[in-house]
Structures are given as C-alpha cells and as structure tokens.
Amino acid sequence: MSSDLGDFLRSRRARIQPQELGLQPYGRRRVPGLRREEVAQLAGVSVDYYIRLEQGRGQSVSDAVLDAVARVLRLDEVEQAHLRDLARPERQEPPQESRPRPGGQRVRPGMRLVVESVSGPAFLLGRYLDVLAWNALGDAVLGFSERLSRFGERGLNQPRDAFLNPAAREFYVDWPAVAADTVAFLRLEAGRRPRDKRLAALVGELSLASEEFRRLWADHQVKEKTFGVKRMLHPIVGRLEVGYEALALPGDPDQMLVVFTAAPGSEAAEKLAVLASWSAVPSLPAS
C-alpha cells in the first residue's frame, strides 16, 4: 500500500509545474513537477505530515487532508477515489467471506438472456475484465470464439488478449489507447482490491511478458470504463468505428454490460448489418 500510494502521489506531483499554481520556482530540481514541501504548503499541512502520507505512514488521514491534497494535485473524480482507496485500504477491501471464489464468475441466466436479446454487439465483462458472455453479433465483431480458443481453460481476459495476442495490435486501430485504458482500469481495481491475489497474479504475468504493460503500469493512470469509441480493422468489413456504452449491473457491481452502438443509416450501421447477416446463431460460453 505505501509503495502504491507514494508512487501515485509522486506521479501526480510530477505533472504539475510550480508556475501553474502561482509559485516561484527556486533552486535546482532533480525531478519535474512540485516538491513535497510545495504540496504541503498549498494543502495546509506540515511537510513532515505530507512526507509520512507519501510513505504510507499517515494514520487515520482525514477527508479534509485528502481533499486538500487532491485539490493541489488537480485530481479528477476517479483519481480522488483512487487516492482514498490507496490511503485507506482496510476500508476498501471487502470482507474475506464476501469475496467470490476464484476460478471465474457466474452469469445469471436472466443476464444471459439480456445479452442475447440486445440487437447490437454486446458482451458481459467481469472482474479483471474477463469476458463472461456475448451475443452472436458481438462474436462476429470481436471474434470472441476464436480468441477464447487461444487462451483455453484460462478463459478470455481482455488485458491478457490486448498485450499477449499479437493479432490485437492489428485489430485495434488505436491499440496504444486501448492498451492505456486497459491498464488504467486495472490500476483502479488494484486500488480497490489491494489484497486480491488473482489480480496481483494477472498484473505480475503481464508485467513479465510485456514491456508496454510495465511502462503503462508505472504511469499510475486510473480510469473507469464508461463510454467511448472503438476503431477496428475487421477482416470482413474493413475499418469499423462504433461507439460503446459500459453499464454496471446494480445487482452485481463486479460485472458490466458493454454494448456497441452505431447511428442509424451510418456506414458503421451498414457494416454491422453485414456482420449480422453473416453471423450464425448466438454463441455463448458455457456456464
């Protein structure tokens, strides 16, 4: 915890120049950005207190202090929530008995029917961005069945596919952005679940196997998966650009429904219609 908290705060300090906050720079700076004493001054706490916070030794740090530090470092809402997770890991980790057993998440039968009934490409993501279910058009667009065969019993995991499957780099037109968003989401989850062994194992696996993952992980960026645009180079319809919406499930916060969208009459909608006619019956992984 102390290492993650300190690394996160240092990475946020490094991106802000003193002049941006009305401070006059002085002396030679060994690293870019704000010094610890400058953050402490602007946050209204002692330098010693802030140093102890970066070192993970700030016991029972108050909301007021965290709010002040977040204001100085210009953290957005997601980063502020991440700061609280890192500063108070004992308050964020769910009780041991409430955690699902390892080895995969269950998909409710009703949710499977929902995924199947969506007219656009749709799939269900679980903890660690595991792909739990999909509909026929989702398979036609993203090739889940083929990707699943590559990873076998381990199941289909988006971070593993993005960094360890060479085809992903060609499939996603904006692969660097996809990779960065994937790591930023995992960073956010790591702050929420600091003692999650499976998440730690996934991060360790990707860190050993991918230099790009190591570099992005060291940036300490955090981001929720909400909505955006996906650009793909599809083997059948060529370049395909669609929107996506990621919807958290009220009954299961560890799962989210992702749906691809295209405006009626658009080129993307026409290409999705081609893929819909090409695809066969819905293909969903077994429970």
Side-chain angles (χ1 to χ4, degrees), residues 141-143 147 166-173 231-235:
V141 172
L142 289 166
R147 292 170 188 246
R169 299 170 185 266
E170 299 179 7
F171 181 76
Y172 291 109
V173 175
R231 299 177 179 88
M232 297 157 278
L233 189 60
H234 197 277

Side-chain angles (χ1 to χ4, degrees), residues 240-261:
L240 176 63
E241 180 174 321
V242 296
Y244 75 85
E245 299 288 335
L247 311 172
L249 305 187
D252 193 338
D254 287 336
Q255 295 183 9
M256 68 179 77
L257 176 65
V258 181
V259 180
F260 284 176
T261 62

Side-chain angles (χ1 to χ4, degrees), residues 185-203:
F185 181 83
L186 286 184
R187 260 292 179 195
L188 194 62
E189 284 297 294
R192 292 168 175 165
R193 303 175 181 274
R195 290 182 286 274
D196 191 313
K197 294 182 179 179
R198 187 181 167 196
L199 178 56
L202 176 62
V203 171

Side-chain angles (χ1 to χ4, degrees), residues 128-129 151 154 157-165 169 179 182-183 186 198-217:
Y128 325 112
L129 295 181
F151 294 104
R154 290 191 297 176
N157 172 265
Q158 281 195 334
R160 189 178 286 122
D161 181 66
F163 287 94
L164 304 186
N165 183 2
R169 299 170 185 266
T182 299
V183 175
L186 286 184
R198 187 181 167 196
L199 178 56
L202 176 62
V203 171
E205 174 191 353
L206 296 176
S207 295
L208 288 174
S210 171
E211 180 180 352
E212 292 98 332
F213 183 89
R214 292 195 299 273
R215 176 179 56 79
L216 290 168
W217 188 255

Side-chain angles (χ1 to χ4, degrees), residues 39-51:
V39 176
Q41 173 190 343
L42 293 171
V45 299
S46 70
V47 175
D48 180 67
Y49 186 92
Y50 180 77
I51 291 175

Side-chain angles (χ1 to χ4, degrees), residues 61-90:
V61 58
S62 68
D63 287 338
V65 169
L66 292 178
D67 288 344
V69 171
R71 172 180 51 78
V72 172
L73 298 180
R74 297 183 173 180
L75 304 187
D76 60 26
E77 290 185 4
V78 176
E79 291 171 325
Q80 290 179 43
H82 186 60
L83 173 62
R84 283 181 167 75
D85 288 342
L86 295 179
R88 299 165 174 170
E90 71 286 349

